[in-house]
Amino acid sequence: MTKWLASVQSLDEAKALEQTLPDILDLKDPAQGALGALPVAVVQSVNDWVAGRCQTSATVGDLVMKPAVIAEAVVAMAASGVDYVKVGLFAAPALVSCLQALNRTFSALDTPVIAVMFADQTCDLSLVSLIKQAGFSGVMVDTATKNGQRLLDHWNETELSQFIELAHQHDLLCGLAGALAIEDIDILEPLDADYLGFRSALCDRRQRTSRLQAAHAQAIQQRLQQYGLAC
């Protein structure tokens, strides 16, 4: 079943979705980059408000690919009580060695960690096996540069299908995001990803740093319900 994720930047935005809670309520600060992090206290306040009515996730920021930096941020964010912590894998010479060094931290952590790859950077699908070995529980593809281009401007349906199939072969939760629009659902839903992630499509004039509009979230949920796959 393809589920959906909505990214919010505050408790007020989360409350705006009270009548349209997504499968995963994602916490991030869109003004601070692709995966800008909110303070742990803010994330915890939203997670407490959700009170188990849906799953929650939170990003740890656009971090350098240094295992000690990532491990510290992940452990701190996991303490907020969210169901998943998301870590961006940015193009860097040390990316592979960084992944290899994270296994000890992730294997000792109760909270599942999701790796975020970026379709608009060097995105080698061979990383998926390393992501699994590093102890991640899932992988998603997003866009690093938020310039209005959508995921489908970078990867076609065949490439996305290969990514999803490879993730599932490695028993990883698999998500698709990247300035997705409501009309992208008709293309992406049949590919059988575990979830689709939305932020800009929820906001006024598709400006991801603008305030979330509950009516847009309702429209996305209704579109998914046409496939009988959203609660």
Side-chain angles (χ1 to χ4, degrees), residues 120-144:
D120 53 343
Q121 294 188 353
T122 301
C123 197
D124 188 346
L125 290 186
S126 67
L127 286 175
V128 173
S129 62
L130 292 176
I131 286 168
K132 177 65 175 181
Q133 293 169 24
F136 287 91
S137 298
V139 61
M140 64 179 295
V141 63
D142 199 339
T143 53

Side-chain angles (χ1 to χ4, degrees), residues 40-60:
V40 173
V42 173
V43 174
Q44 184 172 352
S45 70
V46 177
N47 191 67
D48 291 346
W49 173 81
V50 169
R53 289 177 292 164
C54 67
Q55 292 188 310
T56 54
S57 64
T59 58
V60 294

Side-chain angles (χ1 to χ4, degrees), residues 26-222:
D26 182 54
L27 286 300
K28 69 179 177 185
D29 184 351
Q32 298 300 317
L35 298 178
L38 291 167
V40 173
V42 173
V43 174
Q44 184 172 352
S45 70
V46 177
N47 191 67
D48 291 346
W49 173 81
V50 169
R53 289 177 292 164
C54 67
Q55 292 188 310
T56 54
S57 64
T59 58
V60 294
D62 293 359
L63 303 178
V64 295
M65 295 297 94
K66 294 184 177 181
V69 172
I70 293 172
E72 181 180 8
V74 168
V75 170
M77 191 58 74
S80 69
V82 291
D83 294 292
Y84 302 101
V85 175
K86 293 163 59 181
V87 174
L89 304 184
F90 294 91
L95 177 54
V96 171
S97 60
C98 178
L99 284 172
Q100 293 170 337
L102 286 170
N103 180 268
R104 180 174 296 182
T105 297
F106 291 171
S107 61
L109 197 67
D110 291 333
T111 305
V113 185
I114 308 298
V116 183
M117 300 171 66
F118 296 102
D120 53 343
Q121 294 188 353
T122 301
C123 197
D124 188 346
L125 290 186
S126 67
L127 286 175
V128 173
S129 62
L130 292 176
I131 286 168
K132 177 65 175 181
Q133 293 169 24
F136 287 91
S137 298
V139 61
M140 64 179 295
V141 63
D142 199 339
T143 53
T145 302
K146 303 303 182 180
N147 58 3
Q149 287 196 312
R150 311 207 300 258
L151 178 63
L152 286 163
D153 293 320
H154 300 286
W155 282 12
N156 59 37
E157 293 172 67
T158 299
E159 290 169 317
L160 288 168
S161 293
Q162 291 173 343
F163 169 73
I164 295 166
E165 182 178 358
L166 188 59
H168 287 161
Q169 286 175 356
H170 286 84
D171 196 27
L172 292 166
L173 187 71
C174 181
L176 306 179
L180 300 186
I182 189 170
E183 56 264 30
D184 293 333
I185 292 172
D186 296 334
I187 299 172
L188 299 178
E189 188 280 335
L191 301 183
D192 201 29
D194 294 297
Y195 65 92
L196 304 178
F198 299 89
R199 172 62 194 180
S200 57
L202 303 174
C203 299
D204 189 34
R205 299 183 302 278
R206 287 186 49 81
Q207 298 298 310
R208 65 192 295 270
T209 55
S210 298
R211 184 172 174 81
L212 178 147
Q213 303 293 318
H216 296 336
Q218 184 178 21
I220 287 171
Q221 189 174 71
Q222 289 175 344

